[in-house]
Amino acid sequence: MIDHLLPHGAEAWVYLAHTPLLWLTLTLVAYVIADRISMACGRHPAVNLVVIAAAMIILALYLTGTSYETYFEGAQFIHFLLGPATVALAIPLYRHWEQVRASALPIVASLTVGALVGIFSAAFLARALKGSDLIVASLAPKSVTSPIAMGLSEQLGGAPFLTTALVIVTGVAGAMMLTPLMRLMRIKDSAAIGMAAGVASHGIGTARAFHIDSVAGAFGGIGMGLNGAFTSVILPILRPLLGL
């Protein structure tokens, strides 16, 4: 009986594996499970739901022998929603507009310093470790959101796929370090915490900032958006200083 059912089961899996709805559902289920785990751990910074969900999806793809291209055909709808989700960050920005306007000078200063440190610290460290031009070019835009980082990486001669991985690692590291680091430095101002998160670790850091409060989330969105625009302009100009 089992031998009779196995071929049909294999055929069913082959069909389902190429059905976009399967991988979309898997992504949503992985996120829900990861979110429940994070919630059960009191939203501890070390229990990052992005890492948990990604690990579950990677394991599923590995065990089923499914290519990333096949997976992305189903999950691309969520990728599309990144655009509206980013635009939605304007809502908390609007709600705290008076505070944002009053902090214009600190925002500009922290953006400039944060963006330049993010670029040069990664590039110079890579050079010190004998990294190639490709590695340096892939590392330089790591602190901005993925679509912008990939375009800048390609423009500088880097590898966009490598940059994407580095952007994710940067975001996860920033989200995990945000709360403990701010406590260690005795920084309690929500605006400063959010701005640091957005500039240094883009969307993932901003998501972590929203767990602190809406002010931190609003300033995280500002930092993420402004850093993307600022880095897009300044990084090509700084190219000779990076040795590219």
Side-chain angles (χ1 to χ4, degrees):
M1 179 67 176
I2 295 178
D3 293 339
H4 175 70
L5 292 175
L6 281 177
H8 296 285
E11 291 176 5
W13 172 252
V14 170
Y15 170 75
L16 288 174
H18 289 82
T19 303
L21 184 60
L22 173 67
W23 302 112
L24 175 61
T25 303
L26 172 67
T27 304
L28 295 175
V29 170
Y31 177 83
V32 171
I33 294 174
D35 186 57
R36 294 294 175 86
I37 294 173
S38 176
M39 188 182 301
C41 295
R43 300 295 185 188
H44 192 280
V47 187
N48 188 278
L49 63 88
V50 175
V51 175
I52 298 171
M56 293 172 61
I57 294 171
I58 291 170
L59 180 62
L61 297 180
Y62 174 76
L63 293 177
T64 59
T66 304
S67 67
Y68 175 77
E69 290 74 18
T70 300
Y71 164 76
F72 189 72
E73 287 181 8
Q76 61 182 335
F77 178 69
I78 296 177
H79 185 266
F80 167 78
L81 290 177
L82 284 174
T86 302
V87 174
L89 291 173
I91 296 176
L93 170 60
Y94 173 77
R95 290 174 178 170
H96 300 284
W97 176 245
E98 291 301 322
Q99 185 176 354
V100 171
R101 188 170 62 178
S103 304
L105 184 58
I107 287 174
V108 172
S110 59
L111 168 67
T112 304
V113 174
L116 293 177
V117 169
I119 293 169
F120 284 109
S121 61
F124 288 167
L125 181 60
R127 288 295 186 196
L129 296 174
K130 310 299 182 183
S132 65
D133 287 350
L134 183 142
I135 297 297
V136 173
S138 301
L139 269 170
K142 64 173 179 55
S143 292
V144 300
T145 190
S146 294
I148 298 175
M150 291 173 66
L152 289 171
S153 175
E154 186 175 10
Q155 183 179 352
L156 296 174
F161 70 90
L162 177 58
T163 299
T164 301
L166 293 169
V167 167
I168 294 173
V169 170
T170 299
V172 170
M176 293 176 66
M177 295 171 59
L178 179 63
T179 306
L181 184 60
M182 293 298 108
R183 287 176 180 171
L184 180 64
M185 299 178 67
R186 298 182 180 180
I187 297 175
K188 299 180 180 180
D189 185 82
S190 294
I193 294 173
M195 191 69 188
V199 172
S201 49
H202 50 82
I204 300 177
T206 298
R208 178 62 188 172
F210 271 107
H211 286 298
I212 298 174
D213 56 42
S214 61
V215 174
F219 276 81
I222 293 170
M224 179 182 69
L226 292 179
N227 191 31
F230 181 74
T231 302
S232 297
V233 174
I234 199 69
L235 189 53
I237 298 174
L238 298 175
R239 184 172 185 169
L241 296 179
L242 300 175
L244 298 174

